[in-house]
Amino acid sequence: MPELPEVETVRRVLAPQLCGKRITGLIAVRPQVLAFPGAEQFRDGVVGTSFEAVDRRGKFLLFRLRNLRTLTVHLRMTGTLLIEPPENPVVKHTHVIVALDDGRQLRFTDPRRFGRFWLTGAGEPDTVSGVHRLGIEPDDPRLTSAYLQRLFAGRRKAVKECLLEQSGIAGIGNIYSDEILFAARIHPARSAGSLSGGEWEVLAVVIPVVMAYYVEKNAISPDDYLAGRGTDYRNTPFLNVYGRAGEPCRNCGTPLQRTVIGGRSSCFCPVCQKPG
């Protein structure tokens, strides 16, 4: 699933290409993708207006429209958004096509079919997409040791599972929780209640640094993004632990190990991230 760095990459690629462009049409090949308020109302709410800005909140993209509506998108597991010339073949699993006034099309493709669009009106609170339940962003100044301890200290749940809770910190998923805990030298299976004050301090420093690092490592040009079909830009070469079980730790050379925590795969160094 795309996490904050990947979604921010999509935002940075799309925003300069979309802002100021008028929507001239919308085709919902799979209407279920338009989760709210329904396909016809959705189409009526966007056709004829223009893109003003593209924002991000956690793993959500928020397209601000000139008519003061907000088009919210969650890519989920396999969703991609590409701006393509109309002559490009429409590939399999393309579920939504948004026509732009410059002739190009914004296409949403999703093989797993979990991605969703929501449209909310001017001044209307978004209580349908899940954005309203998100916690603070990783770069929010409020993300302090005290904030983390208020949320998680004393809990028996593994610290990795706590980092995945979007109601606490928005945008961290399976990949970057592993990377954060490796940078903080904290074993992912440790209970949140076992962390010391000093370890919470380290986490508060590491979380924004790690997320910002991978945002920058994901940087890609619009042409390369399109050529890679919106997926060939991931941070794989720069990941320290995620997906590298059996490979040597880049700190100490010890083979990395894999475990399952809360039903999610997790990789760590048994030397750098001691369990106790």
Side-chain angles (χ1 to χ4, degrees), residues 159-198:
V159 63
K160 165 154 181 163
E161 292 181 87
C162 291
L163 291 179
L164 296 178
E165 293 180 3
Q166 299 301 296
S167 59
I169 308 167
I172 300 173
N174 203 39
I175 297 171
Y176 299 109
S177 57
D178 276 2
E179 296 301 313
I180 287 165
L181 291 168
F182 176 74
R185 294 180 173 250
I186 296 171
H187 193 286
R190 282 183 59 188
S191 68
S194 73
L195 269 62
S196 67

Side-chain angles (χ1 to χ4, degrees), residues 63-82:
F63 297 86
R64 311 295 188 183
L65 305 178
R66 184 163 294 174
N67 63 6
L68 303 183
R69 295 177 184 268
T70 298
L71 193 171
T72 301
V73 178
H74 200 302
L75 302 174
R76 299 283 168 82
M77 297 290 292
T78 58
T80 58
L81 284 165
L82 297 172

